[in-house]
Amino acid sequence: MRLVKTVDLDPRQNYILGFHPHGILVAGAFTNFCTYATGFRKLFPGLDSFLLMLPLWFRAPFFRDYIMMAGLIPSDKESASYLLRRQGGGNAVVIAVGGAPEALDARPGAFTILLANKKGFIKLAMENGAHLVPVFSFGENELFDQVENSRGTWIRLIQDKLQSFMGISLPLFHARGIFQYSYGIMPYRKPINTVVGRPIRVEKNEKPTVEELDALHQLYTEELSQLFEEHKGKYGVPEDQHLSFV
């Protein structure tokens, strides 16, 4: 697993890092931004990273304390805004924008990104004047296979229903075992290269209009797509492969 820096990030600013794709377990986001095992603090000195996670996980005793020690915070507006409002900057809030629903599309060779109707993080950035940084994790979807669950199938309908009810998705994934490579729930031995893109400057606007939100959302989408196109050749993605935004 490797964290790739493209430009410096000014530690005097606060940032929202949009992480794509979610994958099955968000392995790249957790390892790169919660453990510092891949050198986040050396690559981006002066920045502290915080990964957002579904609030329900913070209700479990002991597990709650473990994930808080790793720098995870609940994915609600109040928690994120608390960090983004801090004077002096130095905070990077990491959001897996596609969330739990995107995990249902995670499988090898898939580049489906749930972003078309995801504008909450855009509004959060504008309200707090936090710069937006697109992040793409190459290899995130290569770790696990998933039972066929195309949109419209009965399996997907059940998964979507459960996700809307419980808040978490239930992908039926599999990969390899510990001592054999045929079947199991251990991830495949595949590399993950998480590329941090250029920051998009965002001016503070506590009451953005719909048009302003749409314009910044479009700019973010274009920057993410450009980041993918610029780096896909380095990580084995075919030239004719492009991101599919839904």
Side-chain angles (χ1 to χ4, degrees), residues 47-218:
L47 285 181
D48 291 320
S49 56
F50 302 88
L51 177 63
L52 268 62
M53 192 176 189
L54 287 173
L56 69 89
W57 295 113
F58 292 85
R59 300 171 189 163
F62 304 112
F63 182 71
R64 166 186 178 275
D65 300 280
Y66 166 70
I67 58 178
M68 289 181 68
M69 287 174 61
L72 287 105
I73 60 174
S75 57
D76 54 52
K77 184 177 180 179
E78 290 75 18
S79 298
S81 296
Y82 173 77
L83 293 169
L84 297 174
R85 283 197 300 261
R86 284 183 176 175
Q87 299 297 316
N91 298 290
V93 173
V94 184
I95 302 176
V97 178
E102 194 174 75
L104 298 177
D105 291 316
R107 52 175 45 85
F111 293 94
T112 301
I113 305 297
L114 269 66
L115 183 60
N117 297 313
K118 299 284 186 175
K119 299 179 182 178
F121 76 106
I122 300 291
K123 185 176 183 181
L124 183 66
M126 297 184 76
E127 289 176 341
N128 293 280
H131 297 348
L132 285 164
V133 181
V135 178
F136 195 88
S137 194
F138 291 90
E140 192 75 36
N141 284 343
E142 307 300 315
L143 300 184
F144 297 95
D145 281 312
Q146 190 171 169
V147 171
E148 176 57 36
N149 64 336
S150 301
R151 296 172 189 274
T153 61
W154 66 271
I155 291 180
R156 187 57 173 265
L157 291 173
I158 293 174
Q159 288 175 321
D160 287 340
K161 194 70 174 178
L162 289 173
Q163 191 276 321
S164 63
F165 177 72
M166 299 189 302
I168 60 174
S169 61
L170 298 172
L172 301 176
F173 63 92
H174 59 89
R176 64 178 178 90
I178 298 176
F179 301 111
Q180 46 78 30
Y181 215 76
S182 303
Y183 197 85
I185 58 172
M186 293 290 290
Y188 291 127
R189 296 183 178 95
K190 299 289 184 179
I192 292 180
N193 294 279
T194 303
V195 184
V196 181
R198 297 180 292 269
I200 301 169
R201 185 175 180 82
V202 179
E203 297 294 337
K204 188 173 182 178
N205 182 354
E206 294 184 355
K207 293 184 178 180
T209 64
V210 173
E211 291 75 18
E212 290 170 333
L213 282 171
D214 288 344
L216 184 54
H217 181 269
Q218 180 62 33

